């Protein structure tokens, strides 16, 4: 009798574990499910807002949040070739906003938004938001608006591991340097190294390949992007670690959409203090940069 009861208890526990297991596996896919279950398995505290207004309600009615992000930046936005899931800190920030709207992290439809097209995809309505290592600046604010910042990066330099000639931005004079068109990285290089003719590709990952094979001497963009790329090739590449700009990352959205901007800013303020920002960091870029930089404050301009 006693043995039988123990066997039943063991069987029920095993079943409970199996059910929990199913829930978490489902979350790793981009399937749907109940909001509460999803939030528990992601470990986030954030809950859905109780009332939504204007454009935010319209996103809820549409049933999904369309987010432009990078697909080739380890740590911030990287599409897993096996699961197709987009992984990284930017992707997690998008999932947190999805929780705030829908009560579930899985209502995000990610679209690739490379550096050169970010303003364009917001302006033509292809996406609701761009969360893509996207520096807030006045030139971009002429075309779109930004919520945030939610992170602060700084521009740095990536070189081959055996390089001993490039130790700071001024050493880039006369060198073959790769970056992307329409990035603040290109503009900053032009400002800091007069006469530099930087080469541009439409992917920092491709620039890094070019540094590895000797096509370029260096790749210059935000330090966290570079650290993500080095984490994939630690024996061949290194970051100089002399940041020379500040790059506050914002969430791009349609110009004049104050309802969506304040909603996203409120969500950011909440995740800065409830521990969710730190959890998102720890499971993404925090894997190669455990000490997260200080959180910025939201700028409600
Ligand atoms: N944060 C910089 C920018 O928005 C460089 C990184 C990128 O191109 O995504 O231009």
């Amino acid at each position: 009798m006693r043995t039988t009861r123990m066997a039943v208890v063991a069987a029920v526990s095993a079943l409970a574990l199996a059910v929990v297991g199913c829930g978490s596996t489902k979350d790793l896919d981009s399937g749907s499910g109940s909001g509460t279950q999803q939030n528990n398995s992601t470990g986030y505290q954030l809950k859905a807002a109780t009332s939504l207004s204007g454009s935010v309600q319209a996103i809820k009615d549409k049933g999904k949040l369309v987010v432009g992000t990078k697909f080739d930046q380890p740590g911030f936005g990287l599409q897993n070739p096996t699961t197709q899931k987009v992984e990284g800190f930017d992707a997690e920030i998008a999932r947190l906003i999805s929780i705030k709207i829908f009560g579930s992290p899985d209502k995000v439809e990610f679209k690739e938004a490379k550096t050169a097209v970010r303003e364009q995809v917001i302006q033509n309505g292809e996406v609701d938001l761009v969360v893509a290592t996207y520096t807030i600046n006045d030139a971009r604010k002429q075309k779109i608006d930004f919520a945030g910042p939610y992170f602060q990066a700084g521009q740095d330099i990536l070189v081959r591991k055996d390089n001993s000639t490039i130790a700071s931005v001024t050493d880039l004079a006369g060198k073959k340097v790769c970056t992307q068109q329409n990035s603040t990285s290109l503009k900053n290089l032009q400002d800091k190294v007069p006469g530099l003719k930087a080469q541009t590709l439409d992917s920092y990952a491709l620039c890094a390949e070019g540094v590895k094979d000797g096509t370029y001497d260096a790749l210059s963009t935000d330090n966290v992007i570079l650290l993500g790329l080095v984490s994939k090739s630690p024996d061949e590449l290194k970051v100089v670690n002399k940041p020379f700009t500040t790059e506050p990352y914002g969430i791009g959205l349609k110009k004049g959409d104050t309802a969506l901007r304040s909603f996203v800013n409120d969500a950011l303020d909440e995740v800065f203090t409830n521990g969710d920002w730190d959890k998102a960091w720890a499971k993404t870029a925090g894997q190669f940069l455990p000490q997260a930089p200080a959180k910025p404050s939201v700028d409600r301009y």
Side-chain angles (χ1 to χ4, degrees), residues 11 36 43 96 150 153 186 203 246 256 265 285 290:
T36 324
L96 283 163
Y150 61 94
L186 177 60
S203 156
T246 38
N265 280 334

Side-chain angles (χ1 to χ4, degrees), residues 22-139:
C22 282
S24 354
T25 313
K26 197 167 166 209
D27 282 345
L28 291 176
D29 302 322
S30 52
S32 55
S34 111
T36 324
Q37 226 178 354
Q38 309 271 347
N39 293 4
N40 287 344
S41 66
T42 57
Y44 294 134
Q45 298 298 317
L46 201 65
K47 298 275 181 291
T50 45
S51 72
L52 305 175
S53 63
S55 50
V56 189
Q57 182 62 49
I59 292 170
K60 182 149 191 195
D61 293 343
K62 186 171 64 172
K64 61 183 179 183
L65 174 70
V66 186
V67 175
T69 196
K70 300 297 184 80
F71 279 11
D72 60 353
Q73 292 183 181
F76 269 73
L78 184 70
Q79 190 173 42
N80 181 315
T82 316
T83 62
Q84 307 304 310
K85 190 177 155 128
V86 185
E87 296 162 354
F89 188 63
D90 280 341
E92 288 307 303
I93 293 288
R95 290 187 176 104
L96 283 163
I97 298 165
S98 168
I99 292 176
K100 196 72 194 159
I101 300 175
F102 298 98
S104 161
D106 288 334
K107 298 290 182 185
V108 185
E109 182 188 315
F110 287 105
K111 289 194 174 175
E112 185 174 24
K114 289 175 180 278
T115 294
V117 302
R118 291 174 294 191
E119 291 84 80
Q120 191 185 313
V121 294
I122 294 168
Q123 286 180 303
N124 68 17
E126 270 180 69
V127 299
D128 299 310
L129 300 174
V130 165
V131 193
T133 58
Y134 199 8
T135 298
I136 300 172
N137 67 22
D138 289 341

Side-chain angles (χ1 to χ4, degrees), residues 70 73 114-116 118 132-137 140 153 155 179-186 204 221-222 225 247-249:
K70 300 297 184 80
Q73 292 183 181
K114 289 175 180 278
T115 294
R118 291 174 294 191
T133 58
Y134 199 8
T135 298
I136 300 172
N137 67 22
R140 290 172 177 165
Q155 187 168 342
T179 191
Q180 284 202 60
Q181 203 63 256
N182 194 32
S183 62
T184 55
S185 317
L186 177 60
Y204 297 118
T221 188
D222 303 340
I225 299 175
E247 307 291 327
Y249 286 177

